[in-house]
CSV table of all heavy atoms in Angstrom, one decimal:
chain,number,residue,atom,x,y,z
A,20,LEU,N,67.3,-57.4,-19.4
A,20,LEU,CA,65.8,-57.3,-19.4
A,20,LEU,C,65.4,-55.9,-19.1
A,20,LEU,O,64.5,-55.4,-19.7
A,20,LEU,CB,65.3,-58.3,-18.4
A,20,LEU,CG,63.7,-58.4,-18.3
A,20,LEU,CD1,63.2,-58.8,-19.7
A,20,LEU,CD2,63.3,-59.4,-17.3
A,24,ASP,N,63.3,-53.4,-21.4
A,24,ASP,CA,62.1,-52.8,-21.0
A,24,ASP,C,62.1,-51.3,-21.2
A,24,ASP,O,61.1,-50.7,-21.7
A,24,ASP,CB,61.8,-53.1,-19.5
A,24,ASP,CG,61.4,-54.5,-19.3
A,24,ASP,OD1,61.0,-55.2,-20.3
A,24,ASP,OD2,61.5,-55.0,-18.2
A,33,TYR,N,48.4,-38.4,-25.1
A,33,TYR,CA,46.9,-38.6,-25.1
A,33,TYR,C,46.2,-37.3,-24.8
A,33,TYR,O,46.7,-36.4,-24.0
A,33,TYR,CB,46.5,-39.7,-24.0
A,33,TYR,CG,46.7,-39.3,-22.6
A,33,TYR,CD1,45.7,-38.6,-21.9
A,33,TYR,CD2,47.9,-39.7,-21.9
A,33,TYR,CE1,45.9,-38.3,-20.5
A,33,TYR,CE2,48.0,-39.3,-20.6
A,33,TYR,CZ,47.1,-38.6,-19.9
A,33,TYR,OH,47.2,-38.3,-18.6
A,42,PRO,N,27.1,-36.2,-26.1
A,42,PRO,CA,27.3,-37.0,-24.9
A,42,PRO,C,28.4,-38.1,-25.1
A,42,PRO,O,28.2,-39.3,-24.8
A,42,PRO,CB,25.9,-37.7,-24.7
A,42,PRO,CG,25.5,-37.9,-26.1
A,42,PRO,CD,26.0,-36.7,-26.9
A,48,LEU,N,45.1,-40.9,-29.0
A,48,LEU,CA,46.4,-41.4,-28.6
A,48,LEU,C,47.3,-41.3,-29.8
A,48,LEU,O,46.9,-41.9,-30.9
A,48,LEU,CB,46.3,-42.8,-28.1
A,48,LEU,CG,46.0,-43.0,-26.6
A,48,LEU,CD1,45.5,-44.4,-26.4
A,48,LEU,CD2,47.2,-42.7,-25.8
A,89,VAL,N,41.4,-41.8,-16.6
A,89,VAL,CA,40.1,-41.4,-17.1
A,89,VAL,C,39.6,-40.2,-16.3
A,89,VAL,O,39.7,-40.3,-15.0
A,89,VAL,CB,39.1,-42.5,-17.1
A,89,VAL,CG1,37.7,-42.0,-17.6
A,89,VAL,CG2,39.6,-43.7,-18.0
A,134,PRO,N,38.1,-24.7,-12.3
A,134,PRO,CA,38.2,-23.5,-11.5
A,134,PRO,C,37.1,-22.6,-11.8
A,134,PRO,O,36.5,-22.6,-12.9
A,134,PRO,CB,39.6,-22.9,-11.8
A,134,PRO,CG,39.9,-23.5,-13.1
A,134,PRO,CD,39.3,-24.9,-13.2
A,141,ASP,N,34.0,-10.2,-8.7
A,141,ASP,CA,34.8,-10.7,-7.7
A,141,ASP,C,36.1,-10.0,-7.5
A,141,ASP,O,36.6,-9.8,-6.4
A,141,ASP,CB,35.1,-12.2,-8.0
A,141,ASP,CG,33.8,-13.1,-7.9
A,141,ASP,OD1,32.8,-12.6,-7.2
A,141,ASP,OD2,33.8,-14.2,-8.4
A,147,SER,N,38.7,-4.1,-3.2
A,147,SER,CA,38.1,-3.0,-2.4
A,147,SER,C,38.0,-3.3,-1.0
A,147,SER,O,37.6,-2.5,-0.2
A,147,SER,CB,36.6,-2.7,-3.0
A,147,SER,OG,36.7,-2.3,-4.3
A,173,MET,N,35.5,0.3,-14.5
A,173,MET,CA,35.6,1.2,-15.6
A,173,MET,C,34.2,1.3,-16.3
A,173,MET,O,33.6,0.3,-16.6
A,173,MET,CB,36.6,0.6,-16.6
A,173,MET,CG,36.5,1.3,-18.0
A,173,MET,SD,37.5,2.8,-18.0
A,173,MET,CE,39.1,2.1,-18.3
A,195,GLY,N,20.1,14.2,-27.9
A,195,GLY,CA,21.2,14.5,-27.0
A,195,GLY,C,20.9,14.2,-25.5
A,195,GLY,O,21.8,14.5,-24.7
A,221,SER,N,42.4,-5.3,-17.3
A,221,SER,CA,43.5,-4.4,-16.7
A,221,SER,C,43.0,-3.7,-15.5
A,221,SER,O,41.8,-3.6,-15.2
A,221,SER,CB,43.8,-3.4,-17.8
A,221,SER,OG,44.1,-4.0,-19.1
A,224,ILE,N,45.8,2.6,-13.2
A,224,ILE,CA,46.2,3.4,-12.1
A,224,ILE,C,47.0,4.7,-12.5
A,224,ILE,O,47.6,4.7,-13.6
A,224,ILE,CB,47.1,2.6,-11.1
A,224,ILE,CG1,48.4,2.2,-11.7
A,224,ILE,CG2,46.3,1.4,-10.6
A,224,ILE,CD1,49.4,1.6,-10.7
A,253,MET,N,43.8,25.4,-23.1
A,253,MET,CA,42.5,25.2,-23.8
A,253,MET,C,41.3,25.4,-22.8
A,253,MET,O,40.2,25.7,-23.3
A,253,MET,CB,42.5,23.9,-24.5
A,253,MET,CG,43.5,23.7,-25.6
A,253,MET,SD,43.5,25.2,-26.7
A,253,MET,CE,41.8,25.1,-27.4
A,286,HIS,N,39.0,27.3,-42.2
A,286,HIS,CA,39.2,27.1,-40.8
A,286,HIS,C,40.6,27.2,-40.4
A,286,HIS,O,41.5,26.6,-41.1
A,286,HIS,CB,38.6,25.8,-40.3
A,286,HIS,CG,37.2,25.6,-40.6
A,286,HIS,ND1,36.2,26.4,-40.1
A,286,HIS,CD2,36.6,24.7,-41.5
A,286,HIS,CE1,35.0,26.0,-40.6
A,286,HIS,NE2,35.2,25.0,-41.4
A,290,PRO,N,46.6,24.9,-31.8
A,290,PRO,CA,47.4,23.8,-31.3
A,290,PRO,C,46.5,22.5,-31.2
A,290,PRO,O,45.3,22.6,-31.0
A,290,PRO,CB,47.9,24.2,-29.9
A,290,PRO,CG,47.9,25.7,-30.0
A,290,PRO,CD,46.7,26.0,-30.9
A,302,THR,N,36.8,28.3,-14.5
A,302,THR,CA,35.8,29.2,-15.0
A,302,THR,C,36.5,30.4,-15.6
A,302,THR,O,37.6,30.8,-15.2
A,302,THR,CB,34.8,29.6,-13.9
A,302,THR,OG1,35.6,30.2,-12.9
A,302,THR,CG2,34.1,28.4,-13.4
A,342,THR,N,24.0,31.2,-29.2
A,342,THR,CA,23.5,32.2,-28.2
A,342,THR,C,23.6,31.7,-26.8
A,342,THR,O,23.7,30.5,-26.6
A,342,THR,CB,22.1,32.6,-28.5
A,342,THR,OG1,21.2,31.5,-28.3
A,342,THR,CG2,21.9,33.2,-29.9
A,379,SER,N,40.8,8.7,-19.8
A,379,SER,CA,41.1,7.3,-19.5
A,379,SER,C,39.9,6.4,-19.9
A,379,SER,O,40.0,5.3,-20.4
A,379,SER,CB,41.4,7.1,-18.1
A,379,SER,OG,42.6,7.8,-17.8
A,445,ASP,N,46.0,-13.9,-3.9
A,445,ASP,CA,46.3,-13.2,-5.1
A,445,ASP,C,45.1,-13.2,-6.0
A,445,ASP,O,44.6,-14.2,-6.5
A,445,ASP,CB,47.5,-13.9,-5.9
A,445,ASP,CG,47.9,-13.2,-7.2
A,445,ASP,OD1,47.3,-12.1,-7.4
A,445,ASP,OD2,48.7,-13.7,-7.9
A,458,ASN,N,37.7,-14.8,-23.0
A,458,ASN,CA,36.5,-14.2,-22.4
A,458,ASN,C,36.0,-13.1,-23.3
A,458,ASN,O,34.8,-13.0,-23.6
A,458,ASN,CB,36.8,-13.7,-21.0
A,458,ASN,CG,36.8,-14.8,-20.0
A,458,ASN,OD1,36.6,-15.9,-20.3
A,458,ASN,ND2,37.1,-14.4,-18.7
A,463,ILE,N,32.2,-11.2,-27.8
A,463,ILE,CA,32.0,-10.8,-29.2
A,463,ILE,C,31.1,-11.8,-29.9
A,463,ILE,O,30.2,-11.4,-30.6
A,463,ILE,CB,33.4,-10.6,-29.9
A,463,ILE,CG1,34.1,-9.4,-29.3
A,463,ILE,CG2,33.2,-10.3,-31.4
A,463,ILE,CD1,35.6,-9.3,-29.7
A,473,ILE,N,39.8,-11.4,-37.0
A,473,ILE,CA,41.1,-11.0,-37.4
A,473,ILE,C,41.8,-10.2,-36.3
A,473,ILE,O,41.2,-9.2,-35.8
A,473,ILE,CB,41.1,-10.1,-38.7
A,473,ILE,CG1,40.6,-10.9,-39.9
A,473,ILE,CG2,42.5,-9.6,-39.0
A,473,ILE,CD1,41.4,-12.0,-40.3
A,480,LYS,N,48.5,-2.0,-37.7
A,480,LYS,CA,47.2,-2.4,-38.2
A,480,LYS,C,47.3,-3.6,-39.2
A,480,LYS,O,46.3,-3.9,-39.9
A,480,LYS,CB,46.5,-1.2,-38.9
A,480,LYS,CG,46.4,0.1,-38.1
A,480,LYS,CD,45.7,-0.1,-36.8
A,480,LYS,CE,45.5,1.1,-36.0
A,480,LYS,NZ,46.8,1.7,-35.5
A,489,LEU,N,35.2,-22.6,-33.3
A,489,LEU,CA,34.4,-23.8,-33.6
A,489,LEU,C,33.5,-24.2,-32.5
A,489,LEU,O,32.3,-24.5,-32.8
A,489,LEU,CB,35.4,-25.0,-33.9
A,489,LEU,CG,36.3,-24.8,-35.1
A,489,LEU,CD1,37.3,-26.1,-35.2
A,489,LEU,CD2,35.6,-24.6,-36.4
A,559,THR,N,50.0,-16.3,-29.9
A,559,THR,CA,50.4,-17.2,-31.0
A,559,THR,C,51.1,-18.4,-30.4
A,559,THR,O,50.9,-19.6,-30.9
A,559,THR,CB,51.3,-16.5,-32.0
A,559,THR,OG1,50.6,-15.4,-32.5
A,559,THR,CG2,51.6,-17.4,-33.2
A,569,PHE,N,46.6,-32.3,-30.5
A,569,PHE,CA,45.8,-33.1,-31.4
A,569,PHE,C,46.7,-33.8,-32.4
A,569,PHE,O,47.8,-33.4,-32.7
A,569,PHE,CB,44.8,-32.2,-32.2
A,569,PHE,CG,43.8,-31.5,-31.4
A,569,PHE,CD1,44.0,-30.2,-31.0
A,569,PHE,CD2,42.6,-32.1,-31.1
A,569,PHE,CE1,43.1,-29.5,-30.3
A,569,PHE,CE2,41.7,-31.4,-30.3
A,569,PHE,CZ,41.9,-30.1,-29.9
A,577,GLU,N,41.0,-26.7,-43.9
A,577,GLU,CA,40.9,-25.6,-44.8
A,577,GLU,C,42.1,-24.6,-44.7
A,577,GLU,O,42.0,-23.4,-44.7
A,577,GLU,CB,39.6,-24.8,-44.6
A,577,GLU,CG,38.3,-25.6,-44.8
A,577,GLU,CD,37.1,-24.8,-44.6
A,577,GLU,OE1,37.2,-23.6,-44.2
A,577,GLU,OE2,36.0,-25.4,-44.9
Side-chain angles (χ1 to χ4, degrees):
L20 182 62
D24 290 341
Y33 67 87
L48 274 163
V89 178
D141 292 342
S147 302
M173 169 83 84
S221 311
I224 66 174
M253 294 311 300
H286 303 297
T302 57
T342 64
S379 298
D445 182 4
N458 281 357
I463 294 171
I473 296 292
K480 310 301 185 289
L489 297 179
T559 304
F569 297 97
E577 297 181 357

